Amino acid sequence: MILDLLFPNRCIHCNCIIDSHFIICTICFEQIHFTHFEYSQENNLKEKCKLLFPIENAYALMQFGKENLSRKIIHELKYKSREKTGKVLADWVTERLDFKNDRPDLLVSVPLHPKKHKERGYNQLHLFTKNLSDFYNIPHDHNLIRRNHYSKAQALKDKKHRLETQNTFTLTKSISNQHILLIDDVFTTGNTLATIAWEILKESNNKVSVLVMAMDE
């Protein structure tokens, strides 16, 4: 209580004081570019994924523009130790996403390399994925995929280096006859998700869908 008075929670965009459970104020919330995609229907994200790997369904919560608020939200989550942002984003997803009759069997988030995890102190996708798992009552596995190489942040790479993901990921165990929902923060080139998807699709009768917090415009 005293800490709340001394260090009140503030909107990450306009800096006004807000409830401790929120990350932005109601006025700034109106500036977020939500996609309004339907998970089980054709959309821009699914079309982009189709060019890279066989995909069942795809969903992006927000558009990730160069100057928009969605970019600031993701950067707060990834680089400024605001892990609780993952829970807020999961709440926004659950208010909008209905799996209907095509529920995945397992939620799997893109992993960090152990060294990067130690540097950051958390994986920005773990709390997000866990909250989705709890809400939809779908199991999640943070350890199914292993990242084999340490690299600098995607945001600091040029496009050429972002495409160099060959042999970056492997499965830690055999899995078959599963519909996997791959979860990542931002879809840019799609190469990271494609690399993981093909590892999953090597196994017998697996299917892959994708959910991202945001996608590049």
Side-chain angles (χ1 to χ4, degrees):
M1 189 71 178
I2 295 176
L3 287 177
D4 290 340
L5 293 173
L6 295 175
F7 305 102
N9 187 44
R10 294 182 178 273
C11 172
I12 65 175
H13 190 51
C14 72
N15 207 39
C16 73
I17 296 175
I18 56 176
D19 186 277
S20 61
H21 295 96
F22 300 153
I23 58 173
I24 59 173
C25 67
T26 54
I27 294 174
C28 291
F29 181 81
E30 298 301 320
Q31 300 179 40
I32 298 174
H33 296 171
F34 290 107
T35 66
H36 306 292
F37 286 170
E38 291 290 338
Y39 168 78
S40 57
Q41 296 180 6
E42 297 297 313
N43 57 60
N44 290 344
L45 177 59
K46 185 174 181 180
E47 290 300 317
K48 289 183 178 183
C49 289
K50 278 183 178 179
L51 299 174
L52 301 170
F53 58 92
I55 185 166
E56 298 297 313
N57 302 292
Y59 180 83
L61 176 65
M62 304 177 291
Q63 297 285 356
F64 191 72
K66 288 184 178 180
E67 304 296 333
N68 70 16
L69 183 51
S70 301
R71 178 178 290 268
K72 180 178 283 190
I73 291 169
I74 300 295
H75 281 204
E76 288 283 327
L77 171 64
K78 292 180 69 172
Y79 306 121
K80 296 191 177 180
S81 301
R82 291 186 64 130
E83 187 179 10
K84 75 171 185 179
T85 301
K87 181 183 184 306
V88 175
L89 290 171
D91 290 342
W92 292 351
V93 169
T94 59
E95 291 168 2
R96 293 164 174 81
L97 173 59
D98 184 355
F99 291 118
K100 297 181 180 177
N101 297 321
D102 203 3
R103 288 166 57 87
D105 301 308
L106 182 66
L107 309 184
V108 175
S109 54
V110 173
L112 295 175
H113 187 273
K115 182 179 178 181
K116 179 66 67 61
H117 198 152
K118 185 176 180 179
E119 288 173 355
R120 189 173 293 173
Y122 64 98
N123 182 318
Q124 72 275 10
L125 297 173
H126 281 185
L127 185 59
F128 177 76
T129 301
K130 182 183 183 303
N131 277 270
L132 294 180
S133 174
D134 291 344
F135 180 86
Y136 292 111
N137 195 26
I138 299 172
H140 67 279
D141 189 340
H142 292 321
N143 301 308
L144 178 64
I145 307 296
R146 178 174 62 238
R147 186 185 288 265
N148 298 319
H149 307 295
Y150 174 83
S151 62
K152 61 184 178 181
Q154 287 284 324
L156 302 179
K157 298 180 182 180
D158 58 31
K159 186 173 181 179
K160 177 178 179 293
H161 287 96
R162 274 184 259 156
L163 292 172
E164 295 173 354
T165 55
Q166 189 174 14
N167 301 319
T168 301
F169 301 97
T170 52
L171 296 184
T172 60
K173 59 187 176 184
S174 180
I175 187 168
S176 60
N177 300 304
Q178 294 286 292
H179 181 183
I180 307 296
L181 182 65
L182 282 180
I183 296 175
D184 203 359
D185 45 34
V186 180
F187 184 99
T188 50
T189 65
N191 223 58
T192 294
L193 288 170
T195 304
I196 296 174
W198 281 114
E199 289 298 316
I200 293 171
L201 293 170
K202 286 178 184 177
E203 303 290 326
S204 177
N205 297 321
N206 286 331
K207 299 188 296 183
V208 171
S209 291
V210 164
L211 185 155
V212 295
M213 296 173 178
M215 66 177 291
D216 253 343
E217 294 178 336

